[in-house]
Amino acid sequence: MALARVDLDGNPIKPMTICMIGAGGFIGSHLCEKLMAETPHKVLALDVYNDKIKHLLEPAGSHPWSDRIQFHRLNIKNDSRLEGLIKMADLTINLAAICTPADYNTRPLDTIYSNFIDALPVVKYCSENGKRLIHFSTCEVYGKTIGSFLPKDSPLRQDPEYYVLKEDASPCIFGSIEKQRWSYACAKQLIERLIYAEGAENGLDFTIVRPFNWIGPRMDFIPGIDGPSEGVPRVLACFSNNLLRHEPLKLVDGGQSQRTFIYIKDAIEAVLLMIENPARANGQIFNVGNPNNEVTVRQLAEMMIEVYSKVSGEPSLEAPTVDVSSQEFYGVGYDDSDKRIPDMTIINRQLGWNPKTSLWDLLESTLTYQHRTYAEAVKQAIAKPAAN
Ligand code: NAD
Ligand code: UDP
């Protein structure tokens, strides 16, 4: 007989029903997989798309978990079923968002509506019905580091006090209003403040997650293959697309910005701990990232070029990267976060969680997936115009 699942305090975990909004996206698909494979919980999966979770849903009735996952195709902007689904569940997880930087300055209204206005009813229904909420925010609420405002040669730039991002201490530093890049961060910040206030004034049980560049298989889309040709996804998919098409990787403004990347499977472990340890997770805001995997975007490109050459067996280009201006790549109003190192004290203390996978290892498994999934389709797409 399987051992009963217990939480971090040794108490048995009761099977629960989770209303997961945005379940068909990158993070949602990995979270659904984990919940189906390793837990007894039920998922009401809400999204406008389900391509990334089709393998869990079809063929109908064929999986050991088939009676534990139900897909509801709906847009939370305008669907009266939303409150009923939240009421049916013990916990709501909201992942739904426009969250690709190329949209922030070019579709700022959609970005603000999606990340603030559309999330409002979800918070309200959870609060009014006494339901727990795990809301996905972003590391981008920190904006720029304090250190970025110091003179370039200041020794204080090396002092972690000036760049490490702490949930309960760091300020949120955004650019001016005409830098529309910050429309996303600002909308996410306001919904965080609203959720926090619902907790303080009305007793909402909430957890806020701030992901720091989670990456892995199924992230975004490859333009012209499973997404629009002119679309600009996040950096993993942009660089994967360049590698698959044997084009130079484009470094925006020289690729000097720094990021810490975490493997999606490590990050999902943290989310499962939050789900199953409400007493430790409620009322908390958690950074979820890997402070050990810091690189500049240029270094990320160089590592991806090396790893892709290894997994595909194809030599890299002689000039494998090219510099582009942010204005050319993203248009007017783009701006950037300079550096993102998460402080891990709170998640470590509350959930005992630590990331495990190195950048090299996570790129190796992710680019193996990209090559296996897309190389043939890209080859055919490239050959097509010549054949016509
Ligand atoms: P994603 O775009 O792959 O997933 C979002 C999903 O939400 C999509 O499937 C989309 O169809 C769905 N959705 C959007 N609007 C909807 C609506 N109105 N009704 C129903 N469904 C809707 O993105 P992701 O990377 O999985 O991100 C999930 C969450 O995590 C987002 O809130 C994002 O802001 C946050 N986040 C992610 C990262 C990361 O590293 N991946 C970083 C920071 C923040
Ligand atoms: N970037 C780049 N080339 C690309 C795509 C992105 O140089 O083809 C840069 C982008 O300017 C940013 C970083 O990569 O500095 C990470 O971008 P991403 O879209 O993943 O999101 P962010 O971390 O900014 O939220």
Side-chain angles (χ1 to χ4, degrees):
M1 210 178 83
L3 287 176
R5 292 175 64 76
V6 292
D7 68 16
L8 292 171
D9 298 302
N11 304 310
I13 297 167
K14 288 201 203 100
M16 60 185 111
T17 299
I18 300 170
C19 173
M20 195 190 298
I21 306 169
F26 163 57
I27 296 176
S29 73
H30 286 273
L31 190 52
C32 285
E33 250 176 23
K34 181 90 171 172
L35 289 164
M36 292 304 109
E38 295 180 25
T39 78
H41 308 310
K42 287 190 178 152
V43 173
L44 308 172
L46 281 54
D47 206 304
V48 281
Y49 305 112
N50 69 5
D51 312 35
K52 294 184 185 187
I53 51 170
K54 268 222 165 94
H55 61 293
L56 301 173
L57 303 170
E58 294 175 1
S62 67
H63 300 291
W65 53 75
S66 290
D67 60 344
R68 290 194 288 114
I69 184 162
Q70 251 177 42
F71 178 67
H72 298 262
R73 192 179 300 277
L74 61 84
N75 187 330
I76 59 164
K77 270 184 193 302
N78 49 28
D79 201 301
S80 58
R81 289 173 292 171
L82 180 63
E83 184 171 14
L85 289 162
I86 289 176
K87 277 187 176 170
M88 276 166 68
D90 305 293
L91 160 69
T92 292
I93 302 181
N94 189 8
L95 294 150
I98 288 178
C99 53
T100 37
D103 292 319
Y104 308 162
N105 59 312
T106 55
R107 298 168 59 203
L109 284 177
D110 288 343
T111 300
I112 294 166
Y113 272 76
S114 168
N115 285 285
F116 181 67
I117 307 285
D118 300 347
L120 280 176
V122 177
V123 181
K124 180 169 158 258
Y125 296 147
C126 287
S127 192
E128 286 174 356
N129 293 290
K131 301 291 182 178
R132 190 179 165 217
L133 171 66
I134 298 182
H135 184 83
F136 272 70
S137 180
T138 171
C139 60
E140 215 167 287
V141 296
Y142 294 109
K144 296 171 186 254
T145 63
I146 308 172
S148 70
F149 295 91
L150 291 167
K152 285 267 177 288
D153 56 356
S154 167
L156 290 177
R157 276 182 176 249
Q158 310 310 317
D159 181 343
E161 280 299 308
Y162 290 83
Y163 61 78
V164 171
L165 303 169
K166 297 186 184 169
E167 296 93 329
D168 55 354
S170 299
C172 302
I173 308 174
F174 305 154
S176 60
I177 301 299
E178 62 266 34
K179 297 280 186 209
Q180 295 201 80
R181 156 68 187 242
W182 302 107
S183 57
Y184 167 76
C186 194
K188 287 281 204 198
Q189 187 197 157
L190 192 53
I191 199 75
E192 277 201 23
R193 290 191 186 275
L194 185 109
I195 291 167
Y196 197 90
E198 278 291 346
E201 292 191 30
N202 295 325
L204 172 69
D205 283 333
F206 72 86
T207 303
I208 289 170
V209 186
R210 292 181 178 166
F212 280 65
N213 293 82
W214 299 9
I215 60 175
R218 296 197 291 270
M219 185 169 195
D220 299 338
F221 57 91
I222 297 299
I225 305 297
D226 55 4
S229 306
E230 300 310 313
V232 180
R234 287 169 284 187
V235 68
L236 174 81
C238 284
F239 286 174
S240 299
N241 183 39
N242 298 144
L243 290 164
L244 286 156
R245 293 177 188 275
H246 307 284
E247 295 166 355
L249 280 58
K250 293 181 176 160
L251 300 178
V252 171
D253 292 338
Q256 290 314 301
S257 297
Q258 291 167 293
R259 295 287 188 274
T260 50
F261 293 93
I262 178 171
Y263 193 35
I264 181 71
K265 291 186 195 295
D266 289 355
I268 291 296
E269 298 268 350
V271 182
L272 186 57
L273 284 168
M274 292 173 207
I275 294 172
E276 297 194 324
N277 291 277
R280 288 165 176 257
N282 283 348
Q284 300 290 338
I285 300 178
F286 289 120
N287 286 344
V288 181
N290 187 338
N292 307 317
N293 281 348
E294 191 187 31
V295 279
T296 62
V297 172
R298 178 177 290 276
Q299 288 166 331
L300 173 74
E302 286 164 359
M303 200 184 279
M304 284 182 66
I305 290 162
E306 201 182 334
V307 172
Y308 190 72
S309 177
K310 184 180 165 201
V311 302
S312 67
E314 294 159 7
S316 45
L317 297 177
E318 250 175 56
T321 61
V322 60
D323 285 0
V324 293
S325 72
S326 54
Q327 172 124 351
E328 200 184 320
F329 193 81
Y330 288 112
V332 178
Y334 182 75
D335 198 1
D336 209 352
S337 300
D338 53 304
K339 186 174 174 77
R340 287 183 185 157
I341 304 222
D343 183 88
M344 294 276 94
T345 312
I346 295 182
I347 193 158
N348 214 280
R349 182 188 69 212
Q350 295 300 115
L351 302 173
W353 173 87
N354 277 305
K356 300 185 207 120
T357 313
S358 70
L359 186 56
W360 178 277
D361 288 352
L362 77 86
L363 288 178
E364 197 165 329
S365 66
T366 305
L367 291 181
T368 302
Y369 171 88
Q370 302 289 57
H371 183 66
R372 214 176 39 222
T373 310
Y374 294 109
E376 196 47 46
V378 168
K379 209 190 277 172
Q380 284 179 18
I382 292 171
K384 232 188 216 158
N388 285 340

